[in-house]
Amino acid sequence: MGKKLLIPILGDQLSLDLSSLEGQDPSSAVLLMMEVAAETEYVKHHKAKIAYIFSAMRHHAKALENKGWNVDYVALDDPENRGSFNGEIARACERHDIASIRVTEAGEWRVMAMIENWQEQFERPVTICPDNRFLASHREFERWAADKKQLRMEFFYREMRKKTGFLMDKQSKPAGGKWNYDSENRKPAKRDLMVPRPLRFAADKITQEVLQLVAHKFQDHPGSLNNFHFAVTRDQALQQRAVFLDHALAEFGDYQDAMLTDEPFLWHSVLSPYLNSGLLDPHELCAEVAALYDNGKIPLNAAEGFIRQIIGWREYVRGIYWREGPNYAQQNFLDAKRPLPDFYYNAETDLHCLSQAIGQTLDLAYAHHIQRLMITGNFALIAGIDPHAVHLWYLEVYADAYEWVELPNTVGMSQYGDGGIIASKPYASSGNYINKMSDYCKNCRYDVKQRTGEKACPFNALYWDFLARNENKLKDNHRLAMPYRSWHKMGREVQDQLRADAQAFLDTL
Ligand code: FAD
Ligand code: DLZ
Ligand code: SF4
């Protein structure tokens, strides 16, 4: 048996202080980084997502080498590349005199199942280290969830606020007296406001090579490389973090739910790809935000709104993902069966809100939360699209998408596929909400105020059709009592017309 320790570093483990590296001796360890076809093809990831991950991986390998680590980097076009994590671990064991393997747990069930098999498969001891880049360990989440009837994010979030001390006053009470300032975070944006822009990083030689490789190898994958804008090193990600903190965060709270035509980013941080692949640390980021509030630099609704997304939602969906198990991906509470319309892959639709959200997604591998939830997600929900198809689309097209975070957001929060584990009611809405929060409707061929007829906004009839179609499953949800009352008050003729219009529209998809 060999003498060396093999430490595989996966594409979303790009943190210099990763748990698998802690306390290890660089002189007797081989770090293995692998670009492998199986990871690029298990879904057809957006071209820019693959380019981001490969370029960040290649830069991270250099950063590790600069710290004295011995990195074995296998590029996608290496003729010896066996195309999968398992194939490459086997090859690394053959050529490096490996005694044992040490790895940080993977971010998804699919890869964890592989890792759990390594000890037997490679006949070497395998140590699996917890991923301590998250605030809550699996056990901590389980402990919180164990005695709860309902697993609402808000109560988990409060635990995380107490644990971190972020935005807590000296008496251990929440700053300002309230835990949550969401009701102050719903202003629509006006076009004359100065909208900050995220940095665009020029492609260096490594990124240029990756862009060429991806353009050549992944022609049949969705999305474009023309607007590749991502940071690919920790240093660049820190620059983007600084731009967000200095220029956008103060307004983040107010305009968190706003949407404007041809403004893909608004006051959002655009930091999720870096948080999820390890270039940025979530705790460090939230500590910076809390300090800005403590020093009077930003309002409480901005600080609280932002910190909630990270120590609340992000940690909570991860907890749900691991708690619910691999079958969560198959959940389909509303029994929705329709295939995903083609326009999710080409943005060719005359529904302006959808063409905006999907168009920027294909251009940038980015859309902000309300576009994901209330435009593309809401449409899929009320049109009755199969949640599994919706899940695969989200996993493909966003640069920040890994199953642990994407799946609960899509199948749970957005498609109500889990029947209410995450969301207390389906995030379904008519055109009215979109009109309130955006300027999309002003630029649309449909009329958001009309409910029926050729010019009527399709979201309107679809919304009522959704409620009617799912009445048996949803009627007892008290948060839907009001819309059901309105539906029943409408009278048979209007109901029939709405349902007929919805059906006629669905037939065109
Ligand atoms: P900001 O608005 O600036 O928010 C700050 C940070 O908070 C984000 O970077 C992110 O890390 C975190 N955050 C905010 N909301 C959530 C949330 N609901 N769950 C987890 N983290 C959150 N986020 C992903 O990181 N990966 C995904 O694959 C993903 N898929 C989604 C699918 C659907 C259907 C929906 C509705 C949401 C999804 N989200 C996902 C959550 C959210 O939309 C993105 O985190 C956010 O849009 C990223 O942009 P940002 O960095 O500018 O976010
Ligand atoms: C998403 C992704 C892609 C597209 N390619 C690779 C790759 O070639 N090599 C790699 O190590 N990781 C890649 N990843 C990220 C992995 O899929 C990610 O580590 C797992 O989803 C986490 O369990
Ligand atoms: Fe979207 Fe309807 Fe508004 Fe058009 S009118 S942008 S379809 S909500």
Side-chain angles (χ1 to χ4, degrees), residues 373-427:
L373 187 64
M374 298 313 293
I375 308 289
T376 41
N378 177 26
F379 180 83
L381 173 69
I382 62 181
I385 312 294
D386 175 359
H388 195 73
V390 183
H391 149 57
L392 294 179
W393 183 77
Y394 278 94
L395 189 55
E396 287 171 357
V397 297
Y398 291 111
D400 57 22
Y402 301 90
E403 204 183 64
W404 66 266
V405 53
E406 176 279 327
L407 181 68
N409 268 302
T410 305
V411 167
M413 185 182 327
S414 161
Q415 301 302 298
Y416 207 67
D418 63 10
I421 296 174
I422 292 186
S424 56
K425 69 168 184 147
Y427 278 97

Short mmCIF file of all heavy atoms in Angstrom, two decimals, residues 373-427:
data_model
loop_
_atom_site.label_atom_id
_atom_site.label_comp_id
_atom_site.label_asym_id
_atom_site.label_seq_id
_atom_site.Cartn_x
_atom_site.Cartn_y
_atom_site.Cartn_z
N LEU A 373 -38.76 33.19 -9.02
CA LEU A 373 -39.93 32.72 -8.28
C LEU A 373 -41.24 33.17 -8.93
O LEU A 373 -42.15 32.37 -9.10
CB LEU A 373 -39.86 33.26 -6.83
CG LEU A 373 -40.92 32.73 -5.87
CD1 LEU A 373 -40.78 31.23 -5.66
CD2 LEU A 373 -40.83 33.45 -4.51
N MET A 374 -41.32 34.46 -9.28
CA MET A 374 -42.63 35.00 -9.66
C MET A 374 -42.82 35.14 -11.17
O MET A 374 -43.91 35.48 -11.61
CB MET A 374 -42.84 36.36 -8.97
CG MET A 374 -42.86 36.26 -7.45
SD MET A 374 -43.89 34.94 -6.77
CE MET A 374 -45.53 35.48 -7.23
N ILE A 375 -41.77 34.92 -11.96
CA ILE A 375 -41.96 34.95 -13.42
C ILE A 375 -41.85 33.51 -13.95
O ILE A 375 -42.85 32.87 -14.22
CB ILE A 375 -40.96 35.90 -14.13
CG1 ILE A 375 -40.98 37.29 -13.49
CG2 ILE A 375 -41.26 35.94 -15.63
CD1 ILE A 375 -42.21 38.12 -13.74
N THR A 376 -40.64 32.99 -14.06
CA THR A 376 -40.48 31.65 -14.67
C THR A 376 -41.11 30.57 -13.79
O THR A 376 -41.74 29.64 -14.30
CB THR A 376 -38.99 31.33 -14.91
OG1 THR A 376 -38.22 31.78 -13.79
CG2 THR A 376 -38.49 32.00 -16.17
N GLY A 377 -40.93 30.69 -12.47
CA GLY A 377 -41.48 29.67 -11.57
C GLY A 377 -42.99 29.74 -11.49
O GLY A 377 -43.69 28.74 -11.63
N ASN A 378 -43.51 30.95 -11.30
CA ASN A 378 -44.95 31.15 -11.22
C ASN A 378 -45.64 30.67 -12.50
O ASN A 378 -46.65 29.96 -12.44
CB ASN A 378 -45.19 32.66 -10.99
CG ASN A 378 -46.64 33.05 -10.94
OD1 ASN A 378 -47.51 32.25 -10.61
ND2 ASN A 378 -46.93 34.30 -11.28
N PHE A 379 -45.05 31.01 -13.64
CA PHE A 379 -45.68 30.57 -14.91
C PHE A 379 -45.74 29.04 -14.96
O PHE A 379 -46.79 28.45 -15.26
CB PHE A 379 -44.92 31.12 -16.12
CG PHE A 379 -45.55 30.68 -17.41
CD1 PHE A 379 -46.62 31.37 -17.95
CD2 PHE A 379 -45.11 29.54 -18.07
CE1 PHE A 379 -47.25 30.94 -19.11
CE2 PHE A 379 -45.73 29.10 -19.24
CZ PHE A 379 -46.80 29.80 -19.75
N ALA A 380 -44.63 28.39 -14.65
CA ALA A 380 -44.60 26.92 -14.72
C ALA A 380 -45.63 26.33 -13.76
O ALA A 380 -46.32 25.35 -14.08
CB ALA A 380 -43.20 26.41 -14.38
N LEU A 381 -45.74 26.94 -12.58
CA LEU A 381 -46.69 26.44 -11.58
C LEU A 381 -48.13 26.54 -12.08
O LEU A 381 -48.88 25.56 -12.08
CB LEU A 381 -46.52 27.25 -10.28
CG LEU A 381 -47.52 26.98 -9.16
CD1 LEU A 381 -47.32 25.59 -8.57
CD2 LEU A 381 -47.39 28.03 -8.06
N ILE A 382 -48.51 27.74 -12.54
CA ILE A 382 -49.93 27.91 -12.89
C ILE A 382 -50.25 27.26 -14.23
O ILE A 382 -51.40 26.91 -14.49
CB ILE A 382 -50.39 29.39 -12.82
CG1 ILE A 382 -49.63 30.27 -13.79
CG2 ILE A 382 -50.30 29.90 -11.40
CD1 ILE A 382 -50.03 31.76 -13.73
N ALA A 383 -49.22 27.03 -15.05
CA ALA A 383 -49.47 26.31 -16.32
C ALA A 383 -49.45 24.80 -16.12
O ALA A 383 -49.70 24.04 -17.05
CB ALA A 383 -48.44 26.73 -17.37
N GLY A 384 -49.11 24.34 -14.93
CA GLY A 384 -49.14 22.90 -14.65
C GLY A 384 -47.99 22.13 -15.29
O GLY A 384 -48.16 20.99 -15.74
N ILE A 385 -46.80 22.74 -15.32
CA ILE A 385 -45.63 22.05 -15.89
C ILE A 385 -45.10 21.04 -14.87
O ILE A 385 -45.08 21.30 -13.66
CB ILE A 385 -44.49 23.07 -16.22
CG1 ILE A 385 -45.02 24.29 -17.00
CG2 ILE A 385 -43.35 22.38 -16.96
CD1 ILE A 385 -45.54 24.04 -18.36
N ASP A 386 -44.66 19.91 -15.35
CA ASP A 386 -44.08 18.85 -14.51
C ASP A 386 -42.92 19.43 -13.67
O ASP A 386 -41.94 19.91 -14.24
CB ASP A 386 -43.58 17.74 -15.45
CG ASP A 386 -42.85 16.64 -14.70
OD1 ASP A 386 -42.70 16.74 -13.47
OD2 ASP A 386 -42.43 15.68 -15.38
N PRO A 387 -43.03 19.39 -12.34
CA PRO A 387 -41.98 20.02 -11.51
C PRO A 387 -40.59 19.43 -11.73
O PRO A 387 -39.59 20.11 -11.54
CB PRO A 387 -42.45 19.78 -10.07
CG PRO A 387 -43.61 18.88 -10.13
CD PRO A 387 -44.13 18.84 -11.53
N HIS A 388 -40.53 18.17 -12.14
CA HIS A 388 -39.21 17.58 -12.37
C HIS A 388 -38.54 18.25 -13.58
O HIS A 388 -37.34 18.54 -13.57
CB HIS A 388 -39.31 16.07 -12.57
CG HIS A 388 -37.99 15.39 -12.46
ND1 HIS A 388 -37.33 15.22 -11.26
CD2 HIS A 388 -37.16 14.89 -13.40
CE1 HIS A 388 -36.17 14.63 -11.47
NE2 HIS A 388 -36.05 14.41 -12.76
N ALA A 389 -39.34 18.52 -14.62
CA ALA A 389 -38.80 19.20 -15.80
C ALA A 389 -38.36 20.61 -15.44
O ALA A 389 -37.32 21.11 -15.89
CB ALA A 389 -39.85 19.23 -16.91
N VAL A 390 -39.14 21.25 -14.56
CA VAL A 390 -38.80 22.60 -14.13
C VAL A 390 -37.49 22.56 -13.34
O VAL A 390 -36.59 23.39 -13.53
CB VAL A 390 -39.94 23.21 -13.27
CG1 VAL A 390 -39.63 24.64 -12.89
CG2 VAL A 390 -41.27 23.14 -14.01
N HIS A 391 -37.39 21.58 -12.46
CA HIS A 391 -36.17 21.41 -11.66
C HIS A 391 -34.93 21.24 -12.56
O HIS A 391 -33.91 21.90 -12.35
CB HIS A 391 -36.37 20.20 -10.73
CG HIS A 391 -35.15 19.41 -10.39
ND1 HIS A 391 -34.04 19.96 -9.80
CD2 HIS A 391 -34.86 18.08 -10.56
CE1 HIS A 391 -33.12 19.01 -9.61
NE2 HIS A 391 -33.59 17.87 -10.08
N LEU A 392 -35.04 20.42 -13.59
CA LEU A 392 -33.87 20.20 -14.45
C LEU A 392 -33.47 21.50 -15.15
O LEU A 392 -32.29 21.80 -15.29
CB LEU A 392 -34.15 19.09 -15.48
CG LEU A 392 -34.35 17.70 -14.86
CD1 LEU A 392 -34.64 16.66 -15.94
CD2 LEU A 392 -33.14 17.26 -14.03
N TRP A 393 -34.47 22.27 -15.56
CA TRP A 393 -34.16 23.54 -16.23
C TRP A 393 -33.38 24.47 -15.29
O TRP A 393 -32.33 25.01 -15.65
CB TRP A 393 -35.45 24.22 -16.72
CG TRP A 393 -35.21 25.49 -17.48
CD1 TRP A 393 -34.78 25.61 -18.77
CD2 TRP A 393 -35.35 26.84 -16.97
NE1 TRP A 393 -34.67 26.95 -19.12
CE2 TRP A 393 -35.01 27.72 -18.03
CE3 TRP A 393 -35.75 27.37 -15.74
CZ2 TRP A 393 -35.05 29.11 -17.89
CZ3 TRP A 393 -35.77 28.76 -15.61
CH2 TRP A 393 -35.43 29.61 -16.68
N TYR A 394 -33.87 24.65 -14.07
CA TYR A 394 -33.19 25.54 -13.13
C TYR A 394 -31.78 25.04 -12.82
O TYR A 394 -30.84 25.82 -12.68
CB TYR A 394 -33.99 25.70 -11.83
CG TYR A 394 -35.12 26.71 -11.93
CD1 TYR A 394 -36.40 26.31 -12.24
CD2 TYR A 394 -34.89 28.06 -11.71
CE1 TYR A 394 -37.45 27.23 -12.32
CE2 TYR A 394 -35.92 28.99 -11.80
CZ TYR A 394 -37.19 28.57 -12.10
OH TYR A 394 -38.21 29.49 -12.18
N LEU A 395 -31.65 23.74 -12.72
CA LEU A 395 -30.32 23.18 -12.42
C LEU A 395 -29.34 23.44 -13.58
O LEU A 395 -28.15 23.65 -13.37
CB LEU A 395 -30.46 21.67 -12.15
CG LEU A 395 -29.25 20.92 -11.62
CD1 LEU A 395 -28.71 21.56 -10.34
CD2 LEU A 395 -29.60 19.45 -11.34
N GLU A 396 -29.88 23.44 -14.79
CA GLU A 396 -29.03 23.67 -15.95
C GLU A 396 -28.59 25.12 -16.10
O GLU A 396 -27.43 25.40 -16.36
CB GLU A 396 -29.80 23.30 -17.24
CG GLU A 396 -29.97 21.83 -17.46
CD GLU A 396 -30.92 21.55 -18.63
OE1 GLU A 396 -31.48 22.50 -19.23
OE2 GLU A 396 -31.11 20.38 -18.95
N VAL A 397 -29.56 26.04 -15.97
CA VAL A 397 -29.33 27.37 -16.56
C VAL A 397 -28.69 28.40 -15.63
O VAL A 397 -28.25 29.44 -16.11
CB VAL A 397 -30.62 27.97 -17.14
CG1 VAL A 397 -31.15 27.11 -18.27
CG2 VAL A 397 -31.69 28.19 -16.06
N TYR A 398 -28.62 28.15 -14.33
CA TYR A 398 -28.06 29.17 -13.45
C TYR A 398 -26.65 28.80 -12.98
O TYR A 398 -26.39 27.66 -12.57
CB TYR A 398 -28.99 29.43 -12.25
CG TYR A 398 -30.25 30.11 -12.73
CD1 TYR A 398 -31.48 29.47 -12.72
CD2 TYR A 398 -30.17 31.38 -13.30
CE1 TYR A 398 -32.62 30.09 -13.24
CE2 TYR A 398 -31.30 32.01 -13.82
CZ TYR A 398 -32.51 31.36 -13.78
OH TYR A 398 -33.62 31.97 -14.31
N ALA A 399 -25.76 29.79 -13.02
CA ALA A 399 -24.37 29.55 -12.65
C ALA A 399 -24.24 29.15 -11.18
O ALA A 399 -23.24 28.54 -10.79
CB ALA A 399 -23.54 30.80 -12.91
N ASP A 400 -25.24 29.48 -10.38
CA ASP A 400 -25.17 29.16 -8.95
C ASP A 400 -25.87 27.85 -8.61
O ASP A 400 -26.05 27.53 -7.44
CB ASP A 400 -25.78 30.29 -8.12
CG ASP A 400 -27.23 30.60 -8.51
OD1 ASP A 400 -27.91 29.73 -9.08
OD2 ASP A 400 -27.69 31.74 -8.22
N ALA A 401 -26.31 27.09 -9.64
CA ALA A 401 -27.21 25.96 -9.35
C ALA A 401 -26.48 24.66 -9.04
O ALA A 401 -25.78 24.10 -9.89
CB ALA A 401 -28.16 25.75 -10.52
N TYR A 402 -26.62 24.22 -7.81
CA TYR A 402 -26.22 22.88 -7.36
C TYR A 402 -27.47 22.32 -6.71
O TYR A 402 -28.27 23.06 -6.13
CB TYR A 402 -25.06 22.95 -6.36
CG TYR A 402 -23.85 23.63 -6.94
CD1 TYR A 402 -23.69 25.00 -6.83
CD2 TYR A 402 -22.90 22.90 -7.66
CE1 TYR A 402 -22.60 25.64 -7.40
CE2 TYR A 402 -21.80 23.53 -8.23
CZ TYR A 402 -21.66 24.90 -8.10
OH TYR A 402 -20.59 25.53 -8.68
N GLU A 403 -27.61 21.01 -6.77
CA GLU A 403 -28.90 20.44 -6.38
C GLU A 403 -29.33 20.79 -4.96
O GLU A 403 -30.51 21.01 -4.69
CB GLU A 403 -28.86 18.92 -6.57
CG GLU A 403 -30.25 18.36 -6.76
CD GLU A 403 -30.25 16.85 -6.88
OE1 GLU A 403 -29.89 16.18 -5.89
OE2 GLU A 403 -30.61 16.35 -7.95
N TRP A 404 -28.39 20.88 -4.01
CA TRP A 404 -28.77 21.10 -2.61
C TRP A 404 -29.54 22.41 -2.44
O TRP A 404 -30.38 22.54 -1.55
CB TRP A 404 -27.55 21.08 -1.67
CG TRP A 404 -26.57 22.21 -1.89
CD1 TRP A 404 -25.45 22.17 -2.68
CD2 TRP A 404 -26.62 23.53 -1.34
NE1 TRP A 404 -24.80 23.39 -2.65
CE2 TRP A 404 -25.49 24.24 -1.84
CE3 TRP A 404 -27.48 24.19 -0.47
CZ2 TRP A 404 -25.22 25.56 -1.50
CZ3 TRP A 404 -27.21 25.52 -0.13
CH2 TRP A 404 -26.10 26.18 -0.65
N VAL A 405 -29.24 23.39 -3.29
CA VAL A 405 -29.92 24.69 -3.14
C VAL A 405 -31.01 24.87 -4.18
O VAL A 405 -32.06 25.45 -3.91
CB VAL A 405 -28.88 25.85 -3.13
CG1 VAL A 405 -27.97 25.80 -4.34
CG2 VAL A 405 -29.54 27.22 -3.05
N GLU A 406 -30.78 24.33 -5.37
CA GLU A 406 -31.76 24.52 -6.45
C GLU A 406 -33.03 23.71 -6.24
O GLU A 406 -34.15 24.21 -6.42
CB GLU A 406 -31.07 24.18 -7.79
CG GLU A 406 -31.97 24.24 -9.00
CD GLU A 406 -32.82 22.99 -9.15
OE1 GLU A 406 -32.35 21.88 -8.79
OE2 GLU A 406 -33.97 23.12 -9.59
N LEU A 407 -32.87 22.45 -5.85
CA LEU A 407 -34.03 21.54 -5.78
C LEU A 407 -35.11 21.99 -4.78
O LEU A 407 -36.29 22.09 -5.14
CB LEU A 407 -33.54 20.11 -5.49
CG LEU A 407 -34.62 19.05 -5.43
CD1 LEU A 407 -35.25 18.82 -6.79
CD2 LEU A 407 -34.05 17.73 -4.90
N PRO A 408 -34.74 22.28 -3.53
CA PRO A 408 -35.80 22.73 -2.62
C PRO A 408 -36.43 24.05 -3.05
O PRO A 408 -37.63 24.25 -2.87
CB PRO A 408 -35.09 22.90 -1.27
CG PRO A 408 -33.69 22.46 -1.46
CD PRO A 408 -33.42 22.16 -2.88
N ASN A 409 -35.61 24.94 -3.64
CA ASN A 409 -36.18 26.19 -4.12
C ASN A 409 -37.17 25.94 -5.25
O ASN A 409 -38.21 26.60 -5.33
CB ASN A 409 -35.07 27.12 -4.62
CG ASN A 409 -34.57 28.07 -3.54
OD1 ASN A 409 -35.34 28.84 -2.98
ND2 ASN A 409 -33.29 27.99 -3.24
N THR A 410 -36.85 25.00 -6.13
CA THR A 410 -37.71 24.80 -7.30
C THR A 410 -38.89 23.90 -6.97
O THR A 410 -40.05 24.31 -7.06
CB THR A 410 -36.90 24.17 -8.46
OG1 THR A 410 -35.76 24.99 -8.73
CG2 THR A 410 -37.74 24.07 -9.72
N VAL A 411 -38.60 22.68 -6.59
CA VAL A 411 -39.69 21.72 -6.37
C VAL A 411 -40.51 22.11 -5.14
O VAL A 411 -41.73 21.99 -5.13
CB VAL A 411 -39.13 20.28 -6.25
CG1 VAL A 411 -40.18 19.33 -5.70
CG2 VAL A 411 -38.67 19.81 -7.62
N GLY A 412 -39.84 22.63 -4.10
CA GLY A 412 -40.56 22.99 -2.88
C GLY A 412 -41.14 24.38 -2.95
O GLY A 412 -42.34 24.57 -3.10
N MET A 413 -40.25 25.38 -2.88
CA MET A 413 -40.76 26.75 -2.76
C MET A 413 -41.56 27.16 -4.00
O MET A 413 -42.65 27.72 -3.88
CB MET A 413 -39.60 27.73 -2.55
CG MET A 413 -40.14 29.11 -2.31
SD MET A 413 -38.97 30.47 -2.10
CE MET A 413 -37.58 29.84 -1.31
N SER A 414 -41.03 26.90 -5.18
CA SER A 414 -41.66 27.48 -6.37
C SER A 414 -42.80 26.61 -6.94
O SER A 414 -43.80 27.16 -7.38
CB SER A 414 -40.56 27.74 -7.41
OG SER A 414 -41.09 27.88 -8.67
N GLN A 415 -42.65 25.31 -6.96
CA GLN A 415 -43.67 24.48 -7.64
C GLN A 415 -44.64 23.79 -6.66
O GLN A 415 -45.50 23.03 -7.08
CB GLN A 415 -42.99 23.45 -8.54
CG GLN A 415 -42.10 24.07 -9.62
CD GLN A 415 -42.85 25.02 -10.53
OE1 GLN A 415 -43.77 24.62 -11.23
NE2 GLN A 415 -42.48 26.31 -10.51
N TYR A 416 -44.46 23.98 -5.38
CA TYR A 416 -45.33 23.37 -4.37
C TYR A 416 -45.41 21.85 -4.55
O TYR A 416 -46.40 21.20 -4.20
CB TYR A 416 -46.74 23.99 -4.44
CG TYR A 416 -47.50 23.96 -3.13
CD1 TYR A 416 -47.08 24.71 -2.04
CD2 TYR A 416 -48.63 23.18 -2.99
CE1 TYR A 416 -47.77 24.68 -0.85
CE2 TYR A 416 -49.34 23.14 -1.78
CZ TYR A 416 -48.89 23.89 -0.71
OH TYR A 416 -49.57 23.88 0.48
N GLY A 417 -44.33 21.29 -5.10
CA GLY A 417 -44.33 19.85 -5.36
C GLY A 417 -44.31 19.04 -4.08
O GLY A 417 -44.73 17.88 -4.07
N ASP A 418 -43.80 19.65 -2.98
CA ASP A 418 -43.71 18.91 -1.72
C ASP A 418 -44.98 19.09 -0.87
O ASP A 418 -45.03 18.65 0.28
CB ASP A 418 -42.47 19.34 -0.93
CG ASP A 418 -42.50 20.80 -0.52
OD1 ASP A 418 -43.55 21.45 -0.68
OD2 ASP A 418 -41.46 21.32 -0.05
N GLY A 419 -45.99 19.75 -1.44
CA GLY A 419 -47.27 19.90 -0.74
C GLY A 419 -47.20 20.79 0.48
O GLY A 419 -48.05 20.68 1.36
N GLY A 420 -46.16 21.62 0.59
CA GLY A 420 -46.18 22.62 1.66
C GLY A 420 -45.12 22.44 2.74
O GLY A 420 -45.25 23.03 3.80
N ILE A 421 -44.09 21.64 2.49
CA ILE A 421 -43.02 21.53 3.49
C ILE A 421 -42.32 22.89 3.61
O ILE A 421 -42.05 23.39 4.70
CB ILE A 421 -42.01 20.42 3.11
CG1 ILE A 421 -42.69 19.07 3.14
CG2 ILE A 421 -40.80 20.45 4.05
CD1 ILE A 421 -41.83 17.92 2.63
N ILE A 422 -42.01 23.50 2.46
CA ILE A 422 -41.27 24.76 2.48
C ILE A 422 -42.21 25.97 2.46
O ILE A 422 -42.04 26.90 3.25
CB ILE A 422 -40.29 24.83 1.28
CG1 ILE A 422 -39.18 23.79 1.49
CG2 ILE A 422 -39.71 26.23 1.12
CD1 ILE A 422 -38.08 23.83 0.47
N ALA A 423 -43.16 25.98 1.54
CA ALA A 423 -44.01 27.16 1.37
C ALA A 423 -45.36 26.94 2.04
O ALA A 423 -45.93 25.86 1.93
CB ALA A 423 -44.22 27.43 -0.12
N SER A 424 -45.85 27.98 2.74
CA SER A 424 -47.13 27.79 3.42
C SER A 424 -48.30 27.90 2.44
O SER A 424 -49.42 27.56 2.78
CB SER A 424 -47.28 28.79 4.56
OG SER A 424 -47.13 30.09 4.05
N LYS A 425 -48.04 28.39 1.24
CA LYS A 425 -49.05 28.34 0.16
C LYS A 425 -48.30 28.39 -1.17
O LYS A 425 -47.14 28.82 -1.20
CB LYS A 425 -50.03 29.50 0.28
CG LYS A 425 -49.41 30.83 -0.04
CD LYS A 425 -50.48 31.90 -0.20
CE LYS A 425 -49.78 33.18 -0.61
NZ LYS A 425 -50.40 34.08 -1.43
N PRO A 426 -48.93 27.97 -2.26
CA PRO A 426 -48.21 28.04 -3.54
C PRO A 426 -47.92 29.49 -3.92
O PRO A 426 -48.76 30.36 -3.72
CB PRO A 426 -49.21 27.42 -4.53
CG PRO A 426 -50.21 26.69 -3.72
CD PRO A 426 -50.26 27.36 -2.38
N TYR A 427 -46.71 29.73 -4.47
CA TYR A 427 -46.37 31.07 -4.97
C TYR A 427 -46.97 31.25 -6.35
O TYR A 427 -46.26 31.33 -7.35
CB TYR A 427 -44.85 31.26 -5.01
CG TYR A 427 -44.26 31.63 -3.67
CD1 TYR A 427 -43.70 30.67 -2.84
CD2 TYR A 427 -44.27 32.96 -3.23
CE1 TYR A 427 -43.16 31.00 -1.60
CE2 TYR A 427 -43.74 33.30 -1.99
CZ TYR A 427 -43.19 32.31 -1.19
OH TYR A 427 -42.66 32.66 0.03
#
